[in-house]
Every structure is written in C-alpha cells, then in structure tokens.
Amino acid sequence: MTQRTFDSYEDFWPYYVAMHSRAATRWIHLSGTLSGLAVSAYGLFSGRRRYLLGLPVIGYGAAWPAHFLIEKNNPATFGHPGWSLRGDAQMIRMMLAGRDHELAEIAAKWLAENTENTG
C-alpha cells in the first residue's frame, strides 16, 4: 500500500487499526509496549537512566518485525509517528478492556473499503 495522508486523527484511526488487522500483531504490540513500559518504569524509579530506553527499544523492537513478518506492511509510525503513538495507546486500552473483537471489525471494514479487489 502507498503512503496515505489524513486530515485528522479520526480519519487516521481506522487505517491504523487496519495496519494491525491480525490479532497476533496487536498482541505483539501490547506485549512489547507493556514490557517496555515496565522496564522504563524500573529505570525511572531505580534511577538507572539507561532503562528509560526500554519503551522505545522493546516496544518498537517487538512491533516493527510483526508488521514485516505477520502483516506484510510497513509500520504506520514511518509516516505518521505522532498519530501512531496515540493509536497504539488507544488500541492497547481497547485490548485491555476486552474489546479486541472491535478492533478486528474496524480493520476488516477499512480493508474491505480500501483494498483494491485484485482477484
């Protein structure tokens, strides 16, 4: 897919979710982000500053390969870093609230409306 532009976060959100259409990708994101947060929190509270890099290193280190290997797409972060960070937080909140099925529905709807039918 080519790089897309968006006028607002609300327009971007369904695209972001579609780039995470497979549950495995979403769960890898959740695991990487929460692990990175835990390591960063440890660094913050222990005074070990190098551990503050846990969130970006572990979070992106888990998420990006999932895009390449599972989704077969490029991370939305590459073109929309701010909105992607916000989208990741919203996606994780929904997953932790037991709403992963809603994410799957959003992704399927966006893909059906925006993917060219090549078959």
Side-chain angles (χ1 to χ4, degrees):
M1 284 187 202
T2 60
Q3 186 65 40
R4 295 179 179 263
T5 58
F6 301 93
D7 294 327
S8 68
Y9 174 76
E10 290 69 27
D11 292 337
F12 172 76
W13 168 246
Y15 165 80
Y16 180 82
V17 176
M19 297 300 100
H20 302 82
S21 65
R22 297 177 186 257
T25 304
R26 293 190 300 273
W27 286 98
I28 289 169
H29 268 257
L30 179 127
S31 299
T33 299
L34 294 183
S35 297
L37 277 172
V39 169
S40 291
Y42 170 76
L44 181 66
F45 294 115
S46 70
R48 296 181 176 171
R49 292 185 182 265
R50 69 179 180 266
Y51 288 96
L52 295 175
L53 293 173
L55 180 56
V57 171
I58 296 170
Y60 288 127
W64 288 355
H67 282 281
F68 303 132
L69 300 172
I70 297 170
E71 294 286 345
K72 310 283 193 241
N73 65 24
N74 287 324
T77 303
F78 291 175
H80 309 281
W83 285 346
S84 292
L85 184 61
R86 182 175 170 187
D88 196 44
Q90 184 174 350
M91 182 174 71
I92 288 171
R93 279 193 309 273
M94 289 179 72
M95 292 173 72
L96 292 174
R99 298 172 54 198
D100 189 54
H101 65 283
E102 291 178 45
L103 295 167
E105 291 169 4
I106 292 168
K109 181 178 184 222
W110 190 92
L111 289 169
E113 293 173 354
N114 293 279
T115 303
E116 291 180 3
N117 188 0
T118 58

